[in-house]
Amino acid sequence: MARDAQDEARRRLSALAEDPAAHWAPARRLEQDAALLGRLLRAAAEHQQSDGRAADVTLDDVGAALSLFEDMRHQLDRLETQVVIEARRRGMDWRQIAQHQDLNSSQAASQRYQRLMTRLEEIRQGVR
């Protein structure tokens, strides 16, 4: 998806009514984890610029950051699956979904959804 289209998507979604009491847990956790990763990278960059070394960011900190990614991928998969389900529920066909996901065909969008569902089921069953 082109940067302009992504910016437009963010603008459109930002215009939706905000209900502070309705923070949806998977999206909220993903947001919090992304913010933590940003803090780590910012701290590393600040120390790198100030004295040429990243003394306050330890290997344990970097390892902790790396450990967040698998859960973040899982949360993204869940969110994407639920948004696709909502799109289908509201009458979008696979061709339209493919366009929004910057995929080349309705078959690609359908296959992506099936892969996400399979991966989520494997995680649920403890296979992954």
Side-chain angles (χ1 to χ4, degrees), residues 93-113:
D93 61 33
W94 288 110
R95 180 188 53 75
Q96 293 169 308
I97 292 169
Q99 288 174 337
H100 289 286
Q101 291 181 314
D102 203 23
L103 299 172
N104 293 327
S105 68
S106 57
Q107 182 180 7
S110 177
Q111 288 173 344
R112 178 180 177 125
Y113 171 75

Side-chain angles (χ1 to χ4, degrees), residues 116-127:
L116 287 170
M117 290 298 289
T118 299
R119 188 164 47 224
L120 289 171
E121 183 59 22
E122 289 173 351
I123 290 169
R124 189 187 70 75
Q125 291 180 1
V127 176

Side-chain angles (χ1 to χ4, degrees), residues 31-41 65 68:
E31 178 184 16
Q32 290 169 337
D33 287 350
L36 291 172
L37 294 172
R39 287 172 58 186
L40 170 99
L41 294 173
L68 295 178

Side-chain angles (χ1 to χ4, degrees), residues 56-94:
D56 287 353
V57 177
T58 68
L59 289 178
D60 287 339
D61 296 333
V62 175
L66 289 170
S67 72
L68 295 178
F69 284 98
E70 192 59 34
D71 186 58
M72 292 175 72
R73 283 187 191 93
H74 178 230
Q75 296 307 321
L76 280 171
D77 289 350
R78 285 183 60 204
L79 290 168
E80 183 176 352
T81 300
Q82 290 172 328
V83 171
V84 170
I85 290 168
E86 183 64 19
R88 296 289 293 154
R89 188 177 74 78
R90 291 178 178 263
M92 286 179 80
D93 61 33
W94 288 110

Side-chain angles (χ1 to χ4, degrees), residues 45-57:
E46 286 171 1
H47 286 91
Q48 198 81 20
Q49 292 172 357
S50 66
D51 60 11
R53 55 189 171 83
D56 287 353
V57 177

